Coordinates of all heavy atoms in Angstrom, one line a residue:
R387 N -18.6 -50.3 -29.0 CA -18.0 -51.5 -29.7 C -16.9 -50.9 -30.7 O -15.9 -51.6 -30.9 CB -19.1 -52.2 -30.4 CG -18.6 -53.5 -31.1 CD -19.6 -54.6 -31.1 NE -19.1 -55.6 -32.0 CZ -19.9 -56.5 -32.6 NH1 -21.2 -56.4 -32.4 NH2 -19.4 -57.4 -33.4
E388 N -17.2 -49.8 -31.2 CA -16.2 -49.2 -32.1 C -14.9 -48.9 -31.4 O -13.8 -49.1 -31.8 CB -16.8 -47.9 -32.8 CG -15.8 -47.1 -33.6 CD -15.5 -47.7 -35.0 OE1 -16.1 -48.7 -35.4 OE2 -14.5 -47.2 -35.6
I389 N -15.1 -48.3 -30.1 CA -13.9 -47.9 -29.3 C -13.2 -49.2 -28.9 O -11.9 -49.3 -29.1 CB -14.4 -47.2 -28.0 CG1 -15.0 -45.9 -28.3 CG2 -13.2 -47.1 -27.0 CD1 -15.7 -45.3 -27.1
A390 N -13.9 -50.2 -28.3 CA -13.2 -51.3 -27.7 C -12.8 -52.4 -28.6 O -11.9 -53.1 -28.3 CB -14.2 -51.8 -26.6
E391 N -13.4 -52.4 -29.8 CA -13.2 -53.6 -30.6 C -12.9 -53.3 -32.0 O -11.9 -53.6 -32.6 CB -14.4 -54.5 -30.5 CG -14.3 -55.8 -31.3 CD -15.6 -56.5 -31.4 OE1 -16.4 -56.4 -30.4 OE2 -15.8 -57.2 -32.4
M392 N -13.8 -52.5 -32.6 CA -13.8 -52.4 -34.1 C -12.6 -51.5 -34.6 O -11.9 -51.9 -35.5 CB -15.1 -51.9 -34.6 CG -16.2 -52.8 -34.2 SD -17.7 -52.8 -35.3 CE -18.5 -51.2 -34.8
R393 N -12.4 -50.3 -33.9 CA -11.4 -49.4 -34.4 C -10.0 -50.0 -34.4 O -9.2 -49.8 -35.3 CB -11.5 -48.1 -33.7 CG -10.5 -47.1 -34.2 CD -11.0 -45.7 -34.0 NE -12.2 -45.4 -34.7 CZ -12.7 -44.1 -34.9 NH1 -12.1 -43.1 -34.3 NH2 -13.8 -43.9 -35.6
G394 N -9.8 -50.7 -33.3 CA -8.4 -51.2 -33.2 C -8.2 -52.6 -33.8 O -7.1 -53.1 -33.7
L395 N -9.2 -53.1 -34.5 CA -9.0 -54.5 -35.0 C -7.9 -54.5 -36.1 O -7.9 -53.8 -37.0 CB -10.3 -55.0 -35.6 CG -10.2 -56.4 -36.1 CD1 -11.4 -57.2 -35.5 CD2 -10.2 -56.5 -37.6
Q396 N -6.9 -55.4 -35.8 CA -5.8 -55.5 -36.7 C -5.9 -56.9 -37.3 O -6.1 -57.9 -36.6 CB -4.5 -55.5 -35.9 CG -4.1 -54.2 -35.2 CD -3.6 -53.2 -36.2 OE1 -3.2 -53.5 -37.3 NE2 -3.5 -52.0 -35.7
L397 N -5.8 -57.0 -38.6 CA -5.7 -58.3 -39.3 C -4.4 -59.0 -39.0 O -3.4 -58.3 -38.8 CB -5.9 -58.1 -40.8 CG -7.2 -57.6 -41.3 CD1 -7.3 -57.6 -42.8 CD2 -8.4 -58.3 -40.7
T398 N -4.5 -60.3 -39.0 CA -3.2 -61.0 -38.7 C -2.4 -61.2 -40.0 O -1.3 -61.5 -40.0 CB -3.5 -62.4 -38.1 OG1 -4.3 -63.1 -39.1 CG2 -4.2 -62.4 -36.8
I399 N -3.1 -61.0 -41.1 CA -2.4 -61.1 -42.4 C -2.2 -59.7 -43.0 O -2.9 -58.7 -42.6 CB -3.2 -61.9 -43.4 CG1 -4.6 -61.4 -43.7 CG2 -3.3 -63.4 -43.0 CD1 -5.3 -62.0 -44.9
S400 N -1.3 -59.6 -44.0 CA -1.0 -58.2 -44.6 C -1.0 -58.4 -46.1 O -1.2 -59.5 -46.6 CB 0.3 -57.7 -44.1 OG 1.3 -58.6 -44.6

Side-chain angles (χ1 to χ4, degrees):
R387 186 147 166 206
E388 175 72 9
I389 294 167
E391 179 191 331
M392 302 203 285
R393 183 151 296 191
L395 185 129
Q396 297 279 350
L397 294 186
T398 58
I399 60 169
S400 66

